[in-house]
Amino acid sequence: MEAELVATLIDIIKREETLLNDFLELLEEQKGLLVKNETETFEATVIKQEALIEQIRELEEQRIAKVRKIAENLEVKESELTITRLVELSLGTVSNELRQHKQSMNGLVGRIRRANQVNQYLIKRSLNLNHRTIDILIDENLRDVTYEKDGTTHGQDRRSLMINKTL
């Protein structure tokens, strides 16, 4: 029975790995969209991303349930039963397969973390650019003002571009 549970666990991990690969590809796509400033397409990818996250969450719950059953059968605390411990307890090809998937998942999580950090940086940079543009539009009235030697201002004190266009 343990072999069946471990085989089912491996199947869940494989499906989770596939979804994480899809998630990573989506992050890479989003990076390109951020660079090109294609906000509408980016928003569509966010909806796909949310669906993937929900699928990953469901698989995670299934994986936790299987680990719980395996822990009960082995009479081990659930908190002590990690993939590494399962590799130690399993024999033959199951052990090797678990080890490979563990390494693959660790690599995927690292790549997802890096891609996410890059996308966060691009979003922050884009927001800063937008804020500077807004500041320029609002503070346009300072352009025609010059300061005299005695500290007084000289020139035309206009309203900002934004206000001029709305009036």
Side-chain angles (χ1 to χ4, degrees):
M1 178 160 179
E2 288 173 30
E4 289 177 27
L5 287 173
V6 172
T8 304
L9 179 64
I10 290 172
D11 180 58
I12 292 170
I13 291 171
K14 284 180 183 177
R15 291 186 293 165
E16 199 171 356
E17 190 176 342
T18 300
L19 290 175
L20 287 173
N21 268 318
D22 294 345
F23 191 79
L24 180 60
E25 288 175 13
L26 195 57
L27 285 173
E28 292 295 331
E29 180 183 344
Q30 286 178 336
K31 180 174 80 173
L33 295 172
L34 287 169
V35 169
K36 294 176 187 173
N37 199 25
E38 296 181 11
T39 54
E40 289 178 15
T41 310
F42 181 83
E43 288 175 15
T45 63
V46 170
I47 293 168
K48 292 178 190 175
Q49 193 175 35
E50 289 171 350
L52 276 173
I53 289 171
E54 184 57 35
Q55 291 174 354
I56 291 168
R57 188 174 293 129
E58 289 172 9
L59 284 176
E60 186 73 14
E61 289 173 7
Q62 291 176 22
R63 186 175 62 81
I64 290 169
K66 291 298 175 199
V67 168
R68 189 173 293 131
K69 283 184 181 179
I70 293 170
E72 287 173 8
N73 288 347
L74 294 173
E75 297 177 0
V76 176
K77 289 183 182 178
E78 182 182 341
S79 61
E80 295 175 0
L81 192 60
T82 62
I83 292 180
T84 304
R85 181 80 193 271
L86 274 175
V87 167
E88 293 170 358
L89 296 172
S90 300
L91 301 171
T93 58
V94 172
S95 177
N96 290 333
E97 196 172 0
L98 273 172
R99 186 180 300 113
Q100 289 172 352
H101 287 294
K102 177 188 178 217
Q103 291 171 345
S104 179
M105 291 282 277
N106 286 341
L108 268 173
V109 169
R111 290 172 56 201
I112 286 171
R113 189 173 289 126
R114 284 188 299 276
N116 193 36
Q117 287 171 341
V118 168
N119 286 356
Q120 285 178 359
Y121 169 76
L122 290 172
I123 289 169
K124 285 178 185 176
R125 196 177 87 186
S126 177
L127 286 173
N128 286 338
L129 179 63
N130 289 339
H131 285 290
R132 283 191 303 242
T133 303
I134 290 170
D135 288 345
I136 288 170
L137 291 173
I138 291 173
D139 294 335
E140 182 65 23
N141 63 340
L142 300 176
R143 277 199 177 169
D144 291 340
V145 177
T146 56
Y147 292 94
E148 299 292 330
K149 289 180 184 179
D150 62 357
T152 59
T153 58
H154 175 72
Q156 182 181 4
D157 188 14
R158 323 182 298 185
R159 293 182 179 203
S160 71
L161 288 177
M162 189 72 79
I163 293 172
N164 285 340
K165 290 187 180 207
T166 58
L167 293 177

